[in-house]
Amino acid sequence: MAPIAPRTIVWLTLPPLLWAGNAIVGRLMVGSVPPVTLNFLRWLLAALLLLPLGWRILRSTSPLWPRVRRFAGLGLFGFLSYNSLQYLALQTSTPINVTLIAASMPVWMLVVGRLRYGEKARGAQLAGALLSLLGVLLVISRGSWHTLLQVRLVPGDLYMLLAVILWSVYSWMLARPSDRSAQEWHWSEFLLAQIVFGVAWSGVATGLELTFTDQRVQWSPAVAAALAYIAIGPSLIAYRCWGIGVAAVGPAIASFFGNLTPVFAAVMSAALLGEPPSWFHGAAFALIVLGIVVSSRR
């Protein structure tokens, strides 16, 4: 396998950076916006922003409708399930637990690829997964393994585990479509087609949330700003870049870049708290990058 092109590295590095901000914003919105409602508002706003570019895909003669089943699946796994479950996990779980579970992404990518598509994991991929996971654990432990041993799982962690597995399914569906003609659509049409179904699924889930819970949106300028950020950055920009990156290198290798998210999140959290990054942030970054390099080689 040829080395990953610098442009592809940028495509795959930007989403973790934006998703790290999404995790922080999601935590800040606890108590202000119900988790499933937050996900619905996020994608509804993203759809409205993307509509001027991709509206043609929604016409009655669009090639989307013969492919409803596939795009309904993409909307379910990539837009409703992962994001709603992550926001739900942040309601009850701690950031360190959520980060620890998300660090298993490369493993689940390899598992889904093997079970669903018959893809055998190469030794380099397994070695890269180990190096990347060590880097994430270094951040979580803050350089002290005693801290890591004190981690305790709570029921909310199961939501994040399910979210990671379903995101792996979504990524493989992007990389291995049964009909590749949709990949030739304009990027805005391809993304909007997924978002439309994500909004539909999220709308149903939000209706259930509002029916069976007492949580309601507490509108404020901060909530509006948070929605604007998560609709543009972690949604439109990140998903577009992730789609390009996955198409270039495949979901298994792309998943290693996803482990940059906790590193970025740690740096962002430190900046918000007025604390400078520590030595283990740099060491973790080096391990994760090394894991990416190793996993991309034969």
Side-chain angles (χ1 to χ4, degrees):
M1 178 181 293
I4 302 176
R7 179 181 300 180
T8 303
I9 293 175
V10 173
W11 292 136
L12 290 172
T13 301
L14 188 56
L17 177 62
L18 295 170
W19 288 333
N22 179 54
I24 293 175
V25 170
R27 185 66 176 177
L28 292 174
M29 289 296 101
V30 173
S32 297
V33 187
V36 179
T37 301
L38 178 61
N39 185 59
F40 171 69
L41 293 174
R42 167 189 181 176
W43 291 116
L44 178 61
L45 181 55
L48 294 174
L49 292 172
L50 195 58
L51 194 59
L53 291 176
W55 64 271
R56 293 177 182 81
I57 203 62
L58 303 179
R59 294 181 299 184
S60 60
T61 57
S62 165
L64 166 63
W65 307 118
R67 300 167 175 80
V68 164
R69 183 175 179 180
R70 182 194 175 210
F71 281 90
L74 291 172
L76 176 63
F77 295 124
F79 293 79
L80 167 65
S81 301
Y82 181 81
N83 296 281
S84 293
L85 288 168
Q86 182 187 43
Y87 292 142
L88 189 59
L90 289 168
Q91 300 282 311
T92 56
S93 186
T94 63
I96 190 170
N97 281 29
V98 169
T99 306
L100 176 60
I101 294 168
S104 66
M105 179 75 74
V107 176
W108 292 110
M109 285 287 189
L110 295 176
V111 170
V112 171
R114 176 59 176 169
L115 294 179
R116 179 64 179 85
Y117 298 95
E119 287 284 339
K120 294 183 179 180
R122 296 180 290 105
Q125 289 178 319
L126 295 175
L130 177 60
L131 288 169
S132 186
L133 184 59
L134 286 175
V136 174
L137 293 179
L138 190 59
V139 173
I140 293 172
S141 67
R142 300 184 66 83
S144 171
W145 296 114
H146 178 71
T147 301
L148 190 63
L149 294 175
Q150 293 178 330
V151 171
R152 296 293 181 270
L153 297 178
V154 297
D157 298 328
L158 297 177
Y159 293 126
M160 195 61 202
L161 177 60
L162 181 58
V164 170
I165 295 173
L166 294 179
W167 179 261
S168 299
V169 174
Y170 167 77
S171 294
W172 275 105
M173 288 180 68
L174 280 180
R176 295 292 180 84
S178 57
D179 178 6
R180 292 188 175 275
S181 62
Q183 309 293 96
E184 300 174 0
W185 301 351
H186 188 269
W187 72 266
S188 61
E189 297 174 348
F190 185 69
L191 184 55
L192 182 60
Q194 299 176 67
I195 293 177
V196 164
F197 286 98
V199 169
W201 287 116
S202 299
V204 173
T206 298
L208 295 174
E209 180 180 60
L210 297 178
T211 299
F212 295 103
T213 71
D214 296 328
Q215 299 181 71
R216 297 294 183 270
V217 179
Q218 306 297 320
W219 290 104
S220 68
V223 169
L227 285 173
Y229 169 75
I230 63 176
I232 297 173
S235 301
L236 297 181
I237 297 176
Y239 272 67
R240 167 58 175 160
C241 293
W242 185 257
I244 295 174
V246 168
V249 301
I253 293 177
S255 67
F256 290 99
F257 285 84
N259 271 356
L260 291 172
T261 300
V263 179
F264 290 142
V267 173
M268 289 180 182
S269 298
L272 291 174
L273 296 174
E275 300 174 354
S278 301
W279 65 269
F280 54 82
H281 291 127
F285 182 82
L287 282 171
I288 292 173
V289 170
L290 181 59
I292 294 171
V293 172
V294 170
S295 66
S296 64
R297 298 182 179 278
R298 289 192 181 277

